[in-house]
Amino acid sequence: MIRKGFYLIAGLAAAQLCGILALPAQAADKMWTASACGAEPVAPSVEVSSVDKYNASVDKVSAYEKAARTYNSCVAKAAVKEETAISNEAREKIAHIHEGSSTVQKRIAGNFTKLTTALKAGGSKLQKAEH
């Protein structure tokens, strides 16, 4: 009897074709990895030369699916943790830069206000002295 693994295999093949499960070789060389998650499970080969081999392949693919989902969950959690840390660090650096920039802008605006006031007062004084 043939086990019902065709849809699982077809679904995995479709996901691979859509790029969900595999990246180009160049990207894999430079990719971030979640070292705390261990090694990524290796996809099994599928043999369909006989019913027994097909059934064994279904079992291997099912085991792979379970291991791959567990691994993917670990990677996703590790990625969120690192991304959050990077985001928080960037937010702090940006706030520091923004504070410095804002201080300069306020100081310059204050200087312009004082200078404009002094020029107006001086102009009025000189205008009154002429008359």
Side-chain angles (χ1 to χ4, degrees):
M1 177 178 186
I2 294 178
R3 294 196 182 137
K4 298 190 181 208
F6 173 75
Y7 294 110
L8 173 65
I9 293 168
L12 290 172
Q16 188 172 19
L17 286 175
C18 293
I20 296 170
L21 298 178
L23 293 174
Q26 304 124 342
D29 292 343
K30 298 176 186 175
M31 259 186 358
W32 166 89
T33 60
S35 57
C37 298
E40 181 176 346
V42 177
S45 59
V46 174
E47 295 184 43
V48 294
S49 59
S50 71
V51 171
D52 287 340
K53 288 183 180 183
Y54 175 84
N55 288 339
S57 291
V58 170
D59 291 341
K60 288 177 188 176
V61 169
S62 294
Y64 169 75
E65 179 185 18
K66 182 178 178 181
R69 288 180 186 274
T70 300
Y71 178 78
N72 188 55
S73 177
C74 180
V75 168
K77 287 177 187 174
V80 167
K81 183 178 177 180
E82 286 194 36
E83 290 168 352
T84 300
I86 290 167
S87 179
N88 289 341
E89 182 181 342
R91 189 175 8 266
E92 289 171 13
K93 286 180 178 180
I94 289 169
H96 177 71
I97 292 167
H98 180 75
E99 183 180 330
S101 173
S102 182
T103 299
V104 169
Q105 291 172 20
K106 287 176 185 175
R107 185 172 48 245
I108 289 174
N111 289 341
F112 282 144
T113 300
K114 288 177 190 175
L115 294 170
T116 301
T117 301
L119 288 173
K120 281 184 182 179
S124 292
K125 183 179 174 183
L126 293 173
Q127 218 173 21
K128 287 181 186 177
E130 282 185 0
H131 289 85

